[in-house]
Amino acid sequence: MLKYEMKIKSQGTITVIPDSQRLFGFLINKLKKYLGESSITKLVMDVKSGEEMCMMSSLMPSGYVPTPKNYMLDSIGSEQDRKEVYKSLKKRDYIKYEALVEFKDRGSDMYMEKYLTKTRTFQQKFNLKSQSLNLDGYPNQAYTVPIIRIGNGTIREVKNFSFFITVDEKSKMQEGLDLLDSNLRQCGTMDCVLGPKGSYGYNCYEIQNIEKGACDFKFGKGKYLNLGMLLPNEEVINWEDSYLEIYTSDRNSYDIYNEKKKVISFIKEGSVIDVANYAEFDCIGKSIANPYNLLYRDAIVFGNSYFIGL
């Protein structure tokens, strides 16, 4: 297996942190330029069927991982210590991996520079419909835009982010990523938009580097930190000994189908998965068909998340 780390830099205001499903869609759209329409369609179908392995993380500050708060709290012995640690942990959304290992080995020491906090504020905006439509008296629209900032007492605002991809060697996904990397080296950087309102300057990034290396991770029984949006293979997970956070999506593509509201739930980043049954590494997660997307017949819901061992 091969591991790619795509390093990107924020170029403006962030309103949403893209998850692994959004990043998979972004990547497939990028690789279509190099592989062609028919090859990329087959690639997506092969990812869904499991014939081609692809695991992806959500976007994270470079050098940090989502903080597994419940897992860390459960490792604290006394109730009083747990309360103190909870006060420190609840605002720490990302942690350096080495700090997570230190916490596991030593206990509750907290170092502010090893943590990052995600804050959300709201900015008032107005859509001046009366002017854009040139219709006097037409009601204007007021709305708010969420503004996300990630930082701590030392780092005012994080600008450098990464996400990870693991693929099979000599696969079509590897071919596409290598072509993208080659083009990036020629261009120096590439602009991309990873969220809504890109035309207004929101969620704009610059791809700066793609690092490729062997994936030396060996899968077996044990606990793993989930770094993406996971649709699990239920029989692989020991549910009682896992620490799970669930995210339920009711995005537009799932709103109405056959007059019924549709939602889908994922296991979020920062969850700790306990694997009870030995399986191939890519068998923890799966991707499924997306029958609610009426625009694309071959659309899938990507749920093959990226993991690191604990």
Side-chain angles (χ1 to χ4, degrees):
M1 294 189 296
L2 295 172
K3 178 179 71 174
Y4 292 82
E5 180 181 0
M6 191 169 293
K7 297 186 175 183
I8 65 177
K9 186 172 183 178
S10 172
Q11 299 298 299
T13 302
I14 298 173
T15 68
V16 62
I17 303 297
D19 60 36
S20 55
Q21 189 182 4
R22 184 188 292 270
L23 292 174
F24 178 76
F26 156 75
L27 187 62
I28 289 299
N29 190 54
K30 274 284 184 187
L31 297 188
K32 189 193 304 183
K33 172 182 175 182
Y34 307 102
L35 300 178
E37 184 77 37
S38 60
S39 291
I40 209 71
T41 299
K42 184 179 185 305
L43 170 60
V44 171
M45 291 298 97
D46 287 346
V47 169
K48 172 182 167 291
S49 67
E51 291 183 32
E52 180 151 340
M53 191 266 286
C54 174
M55 293 179 295
M56 291 184 63
S57 75
S58 298
L59 192 68
M60 304 171 291
S62 294
Y64 292 80
V65 295
T67 306
K69 298 177 183 179
N70 292 331
Y71 170 75
M72 295 174 73
L73 280 174
D74 202 43
S75 66
I76 303 301
S78 71
E79 187 67 26
Q80 183 60 38
D81 288 344
R82 194 173 296 159
K83 288 180 180 179
E84 292 301 317
V85 172
Y86 175 74
K87 292 178 184 178
S88 300
L89 270 181
K90 64 180 181 179
K91 291 185 178 181
R92 288 160 165 79
D93 298 297
Y94 297 94
I95 179 175
K96 282 189 175 291
Y97 181 69
E98 58 268 24
L100 179 57
V101 173
E102 288 176 12
F103 183 94
K104 183 180 175 182
D105 293 340
R106 299 184 191 176
S108 59
D109 288 338
M110 294 289 164
Y111 302 99
M112 192 61 189
E113 68 273 11
K114 296 183 181 180
Y115 293 81
L116 294 173
T117 298
K118 180 170 64 176
T119 59
R120 175 178 292 184
T121 57
F122 291 89
Q123 194 173 85
Q124 186 78 48
K125 296 285 185 178
F126 293 92
N127 190 349
L128 303 179
K129 287 283 190 178
S130 60
Q131 295 184 15
S132 61
L133 298 176
N134 198 22
L135 293 173
D136 292 339
Y138 196 93
N140 297 319
Q141 295 178 334
Y143 62 96
T144 57
V145 175
I147 306 299
I148 293 175
R149 290 184 174 86
I150 299 174
N152 59 28
T154 305
I155 305 170
R156 185 169 178 268
E157 185 174 358
V158 169
K159 292 293 185 180
N160 295 311
F161 295 85
S162 299
F163 66 93
F164 295 89
I165 312 157
T166 298
V167 301
D168 286 322
E169 289 191 63
K170 300 180 180 179
S171 63
K172 186 61 71 172
M173 184 68 82
Q174 182 201 345
E175 179 186 342
L177 286 168
D178 287 345
L179 289 170
L180 176 62
D181 184 32
S182 177
N183 193 20
L184 178 62
R185 291 174 188 275
Q186 293 177 10
C187 299
T189 59
M190 287 183 183
D191 294 331
C192 63
V193 177
L194 297 176
K197 299 186 181 297
S199 59
Y200 292 93
Y202 296 115
N203 304 305
C204 294
Y205 296 85
E206 184 180 77
I207 304 174
Q208 297 192 319
N209 187 29
I210 300 176
E211 293 186 359
K212 173 184 176 182
C215 183
D216 55 2
F217 186 90
K218 292 185 178 179
F219 178 76
K221 292 182 180 180
K223 285 184 167 57
Y224 300 87
L225 179 60
N226 177 41
L227 301 185
M229 300 296 270
L230 173 66
L231 289 174
N233 282 314
E234 293 85 353
E235 67 276 7
V236 178
I237 297 177
N238 181 356
W239 297 92
E240 291 183 358
D241 292 332
S242 297
Y243 299 81
L244 306 179
E245 291 187 50
I246 306 298
Y247 172 76
T248 299
S249 166
D250 58 355
R251 288 165 293 179
N252 291 335
S253 56
Y254 295 91
D255 277 350
I256 301 295
Y257 183 70
N258 290 336
E259 299 181 354
K260 293 182 180 179
K261 189 167 184 177
K262 297 291 182 179
V263 298
I264 186 168
S265 294
F266 297 87
I267 295 177
K268 284 182 60 177
E269 311 95 329
S271 297
V272 173
I273 309 297
D274 185 88
V275 176
N277 302 311
Y278 180 79
E280 292 297 324
F281 183 42
D282 57 325
C283 285
I284 296 181
K286 62 185 177 182
S287 297
I288 61 174
N290 182 356
Y292 318 122
N293 191 328
L294 304 181
L295 295 177
Y296 301 99
R297 182 187 62 186
D298 297 323
I300 69 171
V301 179
F302 182 78
N304 291 18
S305 185
Y306 187 96
F307 299 88
I308 56 175
L310 290 176

